[in-house]
Amino acid sequence: MLYLTIDILGTIAFAISGVLVAMEKRLDLFGVFIIAFVTAIGGGTLRDLLIGNTPVGWMQDLTYVITIFISVVFAIIFVNKLKYLRKSLFLFDTIGIGLYTMVGVEKGLEAELLPVMCIFLGTMTACFGGVIRDILCNEIPVIFRKEIYATACILGALSYFLMIQFPVKDEYAYIAGILVVILLRLLAVRFKISLPNIYKKQVQ
Amino acid sequence: MLYLTIDILGTIAFAISGVLVAMEKRLDLFGVFIIAFVTAIGGGTLRDLLIGNTPVGWMQDLTYVITIFISVVFAIIFVNKLKYLRKSLFLFDTIGIGLYTMVGVEKGLEAELLPVMCIFLGTMTACFGGVIRDILCNEIPVIFRKEIYATACILGALSYFLMIQFPVKDEYAYIAGILVVILLRLLAVRFKISLPNIYKKQVQ
Amino acid sequence: MLYLTIDILGTIAFAISGVLVAMEKRLDLFGVFIIAFVTAIGGGTLRDLLIGNTPVGWMQDLTYVITIFISVVFAIIFVNKLKYLRKSLFLFDTIGIGLYTMVGVEKGLEAELLPVMCIFLGTMTACFGGVIRDILCNEIPVIFRKEIYATACILGALSYFLMIQFPVKDEYAYIAGILVVILLRLLAVRFKISLPNIYKKQVQ
């Protein structure tokens, strides 16, 4: 039940983030829907394909399509009232990657993959939808911008595997994993933390 | 038999549309082949992957590869005689999406998916080859241009599901679905019909 | 044993080629890792998805992830000492496509596909990683540049199928296939061989 709720919340967060990017680019109604849809299901689709879970999740169950549809309608209605589009986008995207990272980890565990592969899978589930969204909207993919992004997903998933080594209830470790991702991303952007430089210093 | 014929005709239409775009971009011989191939099999490959129908269709049967090969050779020979390249491209692409929409719907039904998923699958089968073709050739994907495109596929697939509610032979509803897609796209472009505007009016 | 060794060597070659492109583009540490990873596993992942070999190869076995990790660390350390970055990239990429072409052919044979499909599969395994690498790094994909590239893979794979018609040990034919790809690509670049022109001559 918890896992399904988290999955649906992630779908909502990413669908809204898709609407925000698509409307900033002033795409038409169909374009907004397609971007929202692809953002919301992109990561999960890649994950399901890689582990051979077919037909992919959102095809077996109307829940996802209906959730996305309702989220998009709401987002379109309310977007014109949003004063801080960029900030809202950042927030929904950040919540989305937190939720989806752990959804991906969970699916990896169900497929009996090694922890390191589950971490990969969680990170891909979280990041891939946003990457497709940005490529289709002609933005630089979030994953390649200066800030910590996928690194937050990796560390969040890692913290889950560390926690379940101890006598912690799985649900708590699961939710903690989500919070670690969200918190790391918020802190990284707030304090402008980025990865270390690997190049020789140059006079520019 | 009907279904296979439609699939092959769609393959021919999309292979030719691929050749036309690639030659307009003056790609070399290999580039033309690869674009034609990807355009023709792209949509079906995505569809087969999503429903877990692997090895994907065109790998299990030489028919598709041979069909594409012959279509490309013919198209290359005749393209220099075509006066209206853009118009021919539009025609072959439109026929292609009509045929492939119903091929996708049919495969969805075989996989026992819900009607709404079959409509998605048909639309993806129809649109994805053209989208890859346009991305690889550095054109704006057809699906994001102003005109009705994927919407025609959705409505065509929908009309099929409406028709089979009535005592209509499946073959007739199938062919009617194809014609609805093609007709809607032709009319939309002819009369410059596009989707409604969702943005507040602005002085520009 | 031979087949696994070849697969690992290909992984190393492509991981290094990914590092070289990513560092030339001055991506950050995470960017370098992701490009190296995607370059190394991209072709194999596409191949495994198309034939339905899931969970895809690199997820079932830590070997690939560890190999890529070590290759990237070494490449980053040594890249600043490389005087001829472009030449090194060309070399590693060429070795990579030679090795991966035959890995792909082998997997196609295991899936009992027709020889022509095995040749396709080998070519895709070899070329797809490099194509993703170039798209993500905003380079023109190698496959669309003027030189012989995928054509070398096709001819190498073809020469394997010709050789095994004769009483040749499979291992020898396998290695010969690799060498044909590498040699053809080296010769094509050295002597500036490209595919024949299919366009009418024009005064430019």
Side-chain angles (χ1 to χ4, degrees), chain B:
Chain B
M1 196 56 220
L2 172 70
Y3 305 129
L4 184 63
T5 313
I6 298 292
D7 202 354
I8 297 298
L9 288 177
T11 307
I12 296 173
F14 270 125
I16 294 174
S17 89
V19 171
L20 297 180
V21 176
M23 290 190 74
E24 207 190 28
K25 295 282 167 178
R26 305 194 76 74
L27 297 187
D28 68 10
L29 187 56
F30 179 76
V32 171
F33 260 101
I34 216 176
I35 297 294
F37 193 79
V38 168
T39 309
I41 58 121
T45 301
L46 177 66
R47 177 198 66 218
D48 286 348
L49 289 179
L50 290 177
I51 59 178
N53 178 15
T54 53
V56 295
W58 61 269
M59 282 206 163
Q60 296 177 326
D61 186 344
L62 268 176
T63 319
Y64 299 97
V65 172
I66 293 171
T67 303
I68 295 169
F69 190 85
I70 295 174
S71 307
V72 172
V73 171
F74 264 82
I76 291 178
I77 293 171
F78 284 106
V79 78
N80 285 320
K81 302 203 173 154
L82 279 179
K83 273 197 186 157
Y84 307 102
L85 202 73
R86 278 271 142 191
K87 257 189 189 157
S88 313
L89 168 60
F90 169 69
L91 201 70
F92 280 107
D93 190 71
T94 299
I95 294 169
I97 61 168
L99 299 167
Y100 267 16
T101 297
M102 289 312 299
V103 173
V105 166
E106 184 64 27
K107 301 276 179 184
L109 288 171
E110 278 172 27
E112 304 189 343
L113 295 175
L114 291 166
V116 63
M117 299 306 169
C118 295
I119 295 174
F120 270 111
L121 217 48
T123 306
M124 278 188 291
T125 307
C127 300
F128 197 69
V131 168
I132 304 185
R133 175 196 65 205
D134 292 342
I135 289 176
L136 290 179
C137 290
N138 210 16
E139 293 261 320
I140 302 164
V142 276
I143 212 170
F144 289 119
R145 291 177 214 160
K146 286 276 152 71
E147 313 134 10
I148 300 274
Y149 189 82
T151 313
C153 304
I154 294 171
L155 294 176
L158 194 64
S159 71
Y160 168 80
F161 282 105
L162 290 178
M163 270 181 276
I164 56 171
Q165 305 303 317
F166 300 95
V168 177
K169 264 185 97 172
D170 191 65
E171 280 84 356
Y172 294 164
Y174 191 86
I175 289 171
I178 297 171
L179 295 178
V180 169
V181 178
I182 296 177
L183 219 65
L184 280 178
R185 173 115 174 93
L186 289 178
L187 289 175
V189 170
R190 177 72 186 76
F191 296 105
K192 302 205 162 84
I193 300 165
S194 59
L195 291 168
N197 185 20
I198 52 171
Y199 300 95
K200 282 187 285 193
K201 267 168 210 161
Q202 288 184 322
V203 185
Q204 286 180 324

Side-chain angles (χ1 to χ4, degrees), chain A residues 22-81:
Chain A
M23 289 190 76
E24 207 189 29
K25 294 282 167 178
R26 305 193 76 75
L27 296 188
D28 68 12
L29 188 57
F30 179 77
V32 171
F33 260 101
I34 216 177
I35 298 293
F37 193 80
V38 168
T39 309
I41 58 120
T45 301
L46 178 66
R47 178 199 65 218
D48 286 347
L49 289 180
L50 290 178
I51 59 178
N53 179 13
T54 53
V56 294
W58 62 269
M59 282 207 163
Q60 296 176 329
D61 187 343
L62 269 177
T63 320
Y64 298 96
V65 172
I66 292 171
T67 305
I68 295 170
F69 190 84
I70 295 172
S71 309
V72 172
V73 171
F74 264 82
I76 291 178
I77 294 170
F78 285 105
V79 78
N80 285 319
K81 303 201 174 156

Side-chain angles (χ1 to χ4, degrees), chain C:
Chain C
M1 197 56 219
L2 172 71
Y3 304 129
L4 184 62
T5 314
I6 298 290
D7 202 355
I8 298 299
L9 289 177
T11 306
I12 296 171
F14 270 125
I16 295 174
S17 89
V19 172
L20 297 180
V21 176
M23 290 190 73
E24 207 189 28
K25 294 281 165 179
R26 303 194 77 74
L27 297 187
D28 68 10
L29 189 57
F30 179 76
V32 172
F33 260 101
I34 217 177
I35 298 291
F37 193 78
V38 168
T39 309
I41 58 121
T45 301
L46 177 66
R47 178 199 63 219
D48 286 347
L49 288 180
L50 290 178
I51 59 178
N53 179 15
T54 53
V56 295
W58 62 269
M59 283 208 163
Q60 296 177 328
D61 186 346
L62 268 177
T63 320
Y64 298 97
V65 172
I66 293 171
T67 304
I68 295 170
F69 191 83
I70 296 173
S71 307
V72 172
V73 172
F74 263 82
I76 291 177
I77 294 170
F78 285 106
V79 78
N80 285 319
K81 303 202 171 152
L82 278 179
K83 274 198 184 154
Y84 308 102
L85 202 72
R86 279 270 141 191
K87 257 189 189 156
S88 314
L89 168 59
F90 169 68
L91 201 68
F92 281 106
D93 190 71
T94 300
I95 294 169
I97 61 168
L99 299 167
Y100 267 17
T101 298
M102 289 311 300
V103 173
V105 166
E106 184 64 25
K107 298 278 178 183
L109 288 171
E110 277 172 28
E112 305 190 344
L113 295 175
L114 291 165
V116 62
M117 299 304 169
C118 295
I119 296 175
F120 270 110
L121 217 48
T123 306
M124 278 187 291
T125 307
C127 300
F128 197 69
V131 168
I132 303 184
R133 176 196 64 207
D134 291 343
I135 289 176
L136 290 178
C137 290
N138 211 17
E139 293 261 320
I140 302 165
V142 276
I143 212 170
F144 288 120
R145 291 176 213 160
K146 285 276 154 68
E147 313 134 11
I148 299 274
Y149 189 82
T151 313
C153 303
I154 294 171
L155 294 176
L158 194 65
S159 71
Y160 168 79
F161 282 105
L162 290 178
M163 269 182 277
I164 57 171
Q165 305 304 316
F166 299 96
V168 178
K169 262 184 100 170
D170 192 65
E171 280 83 357
Y172 294 164
Y174 191 86
I175 290 171
I178 296 170
L179 295 178
V180 168
V181 178
I182 297 177
L183 219 67
L184 280 178
R185 173 115 174 93
L186 290 178
L187 289 175
V189 170
R190 176 72 187 75
F191 295 107
K192 302 203 162 86
I193 299 165
S194 59
L195 291 167
N197 184 21
I198 52 171
Y199 300 96
K200 282 187 283 192
K201 267 169 213 161
Q202 288 183 321
V203 185
Q204 286 179 325

